[in-house]
Amino acid sequence: MSGAGASSYWCPQAWLGAAPVARLRVAVADGRVVALTPGTDPVPGDVVLPGVVLPGLANAHSHAFHRALRGRGGAGGGDFWTWRRAMYALAAALDPDACHAIARAVYAEMALAGVTGVGEMHYVHHAPDGRPYADPNAMADALRAAAREAGVRLTLLDTCYLAGGVGRDLEGVQRRFGDGDAGRWAERVDLLRDDDGFRVGAAVHSVRAVPRDQVPTVVAWARGRGAPLHAHVSEQRAEDEEVLAAHGLTPTRLLEDAGFLGPASTVVHAVHVMPADVERIGASRTTTCLCPTTERDLADGLAPGGALRDAGSPVCVGTDQHVEVDVLAEARAVEMHERLATGRRGSFTPGELVTAATAAGHASIGWPDAGTLAVGARADLVAVRTDTVRTVGADPAQLALVATAADVDTVVVDGAVVVRGGAHRLGDVAGLLGRAVADLQARVDR
Ligand SMILES: [Zn+2]
């Protein structure tokens, strides 16, 4: 998906390393940064960007179709498990066309928010009766096409999901998620090929949904392919209690025994992890993906983000079920939740929040050459306006504490302009979202 040929940009301020620098010129060729010149004037032909230019943002944890639940149902009370029933009704209504339509619109919404790469934890693999489609990866291919059209890179975290709980078979809509065993999951995922804007990763949905003896097969597949590996970990207390009762182990300890932890792996949520689990995650350099807007929307709890960072875990962020699609807000919430938990400000510096939203996220989803402004890196540029009602007057070095998706003006992905002046190249993204959500909800109501 590289933007062909050469181009150049001039940034009044740009995030270089750990802080903004002034008057940066960025030369791009074949989708890569080829020169960075700070403290210089623009030359004729440069595209002059506004505000502060950040590297591309990464949304390291997404389930695109969950977007259709935004603003529906949360007022009626309940908890994670009541929300999950509504989500399952949607999952039952998906087919490859509907999956493509909602994902294309959601990925375009992400591009508008400055996202250049997304990790999609994808588990609705099969037809409603649980049998594979004629093309067993029809759903995955719908997601691949959706991301390409929306102009963002996609890591398909193809998700192994085999059980309805410890010792329980899949039931109802869950049959769509299952491949039978991890070996057959691996055979299907092996059919998927990477390209310049798409890579295949793996996920263990959770230790609730993948039996203990199946986890090593998923880990071996990911390690063999050099692919990123993710899992939901300790989002809900009930899940941890179930695993503890069955195995005498916390989910993190079970994953450690299965070989899951390590620098190519990411644990998502980590809300209820025990202190010893924090040490295991940190010592193994496993990344933690926090999804604070989801974790508060679903009443999950506050993750120990500062302790995980202190233990050695790189922290990144995801918008998960998309109650908001705003990676800047997600990164800011990492610090804000830490303030609520500790009674202190500044546990995460603004620079650390930018890293969480950029380089750490791209590394987690398998694009280590993205998320920093550097010669040789992928040419992802996100211009954030500093003259809006939200941002005007703020120190550019503290932009991560104030800016929102609404302040994103221009987004360049692999050297191609995807968003210009706050408008996506696909046009009316709210219209795309509205039609995709209405279509899915109509299917649910039928
Ligand atoms: Zn999730």
Side-chain angles (χ1 to χ4, degrees), residues 61-63 66 121 123 205 232 235 268-269 291 320-321:
H61 189 66
S62 163
H63 309 280
H66 294 186
M121 198 189 263
Y123 56 86
H205 178 275
H232 291 124
E235 181 177 9
V268 181
H269 300 304
C291 306
D320 193 1
Q321 41 82 298

Side-chain angles (χ1 to χ4, degrees), residues 104-433:
R104 186 171 82 129
V106 174
Y107 297 153
E109 182 184 2
M110 289 182 197
L112 286 171
V115 171
T116 62
V118 55
E120 176 75 19
M121 198 189 263
H122 163 60
Y123 56 86
V124 186
H125 302 303
H126 303 302
D129 61 2
R131 278 188 292 206
Y133 287 107
D135 170 358
N137 288 310
M139 290 291 222
D141 285 336
L143 292 165
R144 179 204 298 253
R148 189 185 305 118
E149 290 162 34
V152 301
R153 288 187 300 275
L154 177 71
T155 299
L156 184 88
L157 297 161
D158 197 296
T159 303
C160 186
Y161 196 127
L162 303 171
V166 177
R168 286 204 300 279
D169 290 340
L170 298 175
E171 56 181 39
V173 67
Q174 292 173 335
R175 292 197 304 270
R176 305 194 69 177
F177 312 161
D179 290 290
D181 61 39
R184 275 179 279 171
W185 166 87
E187 284 171 21
R188 178 178 57 72
V189 179
D190 252 343
L191 301 173
L192 291 161
R193 289 283 162 265
D194 296 350
D195 64 40
D196 193 46
F198 175 82
R199 52 174 317 185
V200 183
V204 170
H205 178 275
S206 57
V207 293
R208 185 166 38 87
V210 180
R212 186 180 181 182
D213 65 352
Q214 300 291 302
V215 176
T217 302
V218 182
V219 173
W221 182 89
R223 302 291 189 245
R225 181 124 162 192
L229 175 63
H230 286 216
H232 291 124
V233 174
S234 295
E235 181 177 9
Q236 287 293 317
R237 274 191 215 285
E239 153 188 10
D240 289 15
E241 286 161 4
E242 185 181 352
V243 172
L244 202 58
H247 300 299
L249 300 172
T250 64
T252 299
R253 178 68 202 287
L254 190 155
L255 288 171
E256 180 183 51
D257 285 1
F260 177 99
L261 300 183
S265 296
T266 297
V267 294
V268 181
H269 300 304
V271 170
H272 299 290
V273 286
M274 297 291 156
D277 294 331
V278 170
E279 292 307 317
R280 289 184 179 99
I281 293 165
S284 60
R285 298 294 180 263
T286 303
T287 294
T288 303
C289 181
L290 302 176
C291 306
T293 67
T294 291
E295 289 148 15
R296 63 185 187 238
D297 183 65
L298 298 182
D300 292 340
L302 292 170
L308 285 156
R309 183 270 322 270
D310 291 346
S313 176
V315 171
C316 66
V317 293
T319 65
D320 193 1
Q321 41 82 298
H322 311 310
V323 66
E324 294 180 48
V325 170
D326 188 339
V327 168
L328 292 168
E330 215 70 52
R332 175 161 55 253
V334 169
E335 160 65 9
M336 294 306 164
H337 285 192
E338 199 67 12
R339 290 184 187 185
L340 291 172
T342 65
R344 287 194 313 276
R345 308 177 84 198
S347 175
F348 286 84
T349 66
E352 285 180 295
L353 300 181
V354 171
T355 298
T358 58
H362 287 291
S364 163
I365 59 173
W367 305 94
D369 54 351
T372 52
L373 292 181
V375 172
R378 287 173 178 268
D380 291 358
L381 306 173
V382 177
V384 182
R385 298 200 74 97
T386 49
D387 59 354
T388 71
V389 290
R390 288 165 296 276
T391 58
V392 71
D395 176 353
Q398 297 192 23
L399 193 68
L401 293 174
V402 295
T404 72
D407 303 311
V408 172
D409 179 272
T410 300
V411 181
V412 177
V413 184
D414 287 326
V417 178
V418 174
V419 174
R420 191 192 304 269
H424 194 283
R425 68 186 188 192
L426 286 176
D428 176 14
V429 176
L432 293 176
L433 282 164

